[in-house]
Amino acid sequence: FSNSRESLHSDNCEVMGLYCLDTALKGGRILVTSSWQLHNELAAKRPDVLKTLAELWIEFPYHRFKHYTQSPPLCIPFLDNVDGERVLLRFSRYPITGWQQRKRNPTLPTPVQAQLEAIDAVQFMAAANSVPLPMGRGDMVFVNDMTILYAREGFSEGGVYMKRHLLKMSFRNPEQN
């Protein structure tokens, strides 16, 4: 529904799959980055950001294309220490900042400066370490959504309708947290 750039994010699933039906004339690559690498870099350079992320809970709707009032929210932490050894980073700046026609939920508290700085730090550090996935027509990609953040570059088609078409599948184990 849009050809604009998407920020790095994760979805609320364990595995996210993409099937490429067609590619864009220009741009539109999928970018991926390791959330564990990001965590380690933040721990070394910006431990204040990790503290803010650990304290920040967001309202994360299951159905992103429905209005917040039509989809019961699931509150999850951005950063969670799973068992003392593994770190789980769930990240999306959109519930806090909004995106295009999806406006930020006005019932949420206004984000404070430290929260905005934290999501910017995550975005910029993750983008600096991201790599593009080569995808052509008929390719399938499966991403571990619990360890990888992904984004999409903006793209142009040069025509009236969009040619680029990816079919997205989210796989979730309901018994998992």
Side-chain angles (χ1 to χ4, degrees):
F1 69 97
S2 172
N3 63 346
S4 64
R5 176 186 68 86
E6 283 187 345
S7 295
L8 286 152
H9 64 282
S10 60
D11 290 333
N12 189 32
C13 62
E14 280 79 40
V15 176
M16 190 270 306
L18 292 172
Y19 175 63
C20 182
L21 296 170
D22 212 343
T23 59
L25 295 176
K26 182 178 180 185
R29 295 183 306 175
I30 299 296
L31 306 171
V32 295
T33 191
S34 166
S35 62
W36 291 350
Q37 177 187 11
L38 173 64
H39 176 271
N40 291 340
E41 188 173 348
L42 287 168
K45 296 178 181 176
R46 295 292 310 272
D48 59 312
V49 167
L50 288 180
K51 182 178 184 303
T52 300
L53 291 174
E55 295 168 352
L56 181 62
W57 287 69
I58 60 169
E59 192 172 282
F60 198 94
Y62 279 114
H63 307 289
R64 293 178 176 219
F65 295 104
K66 291 185 179 179
H67 190 274
Y68 287 103
T69 59
Q70 298 172 349
S71 179
L74 170 68
C75 292
I76 60 171
F78 270 123
L79 181 67
D80 197 14
N81 189 329
V82 178
D83 58 12
E85 295 180 16
R86 296 178 297 155
V87 173
L88 176 61
L89 177 68
R90 296 277 193 194
F91 180 76
S92 177
R93 67 186 300 121
Y94 301 133
I96 292 177
T97 62
W99 183 60
Q100 295 184 356
Q101 70 269 24
R102 294 185 206 158
K103 304 297 181 202
R104 184 180 177 279
N105 185 345
T107 63
L108 292 174
T110 302
V112 298
Q113 187 60 36
Q115 293 168 333
L116 294 172
E117 184 180 333
I119 62 174
D120 282 345
V122 168
Q123 179 63 38
F124 296 129
M125 280 188 184
N129 294 312
S130 67
V131 294
L133 290 179
M135 287 188 72
R137 184 181 294 168
D139 287 347
M140 292 183 76
V141 172
F142 293 93
V143 174
N144 181 342
D145 196 59
M146 299 176 82
T147 62
I148 300 291
L149 301 177
Y150 73 98
R152 178 192 70 212
E153 294 178 328
F155 62 94
S156 62
E157 299 291 11
V160 177
Y161 63 94
M162 290 189 195
K163 177 183 170 197
R164 180 187 186 273
H165 191 160
L166 297 181
L167 179 62
K168 180 179 175 181
M169 300 161 279
S170 296
F171 301 99
R172 175 134 176 56
N173 180 351
E175 295 177 8
Q176 295 258 357
N177 289 334

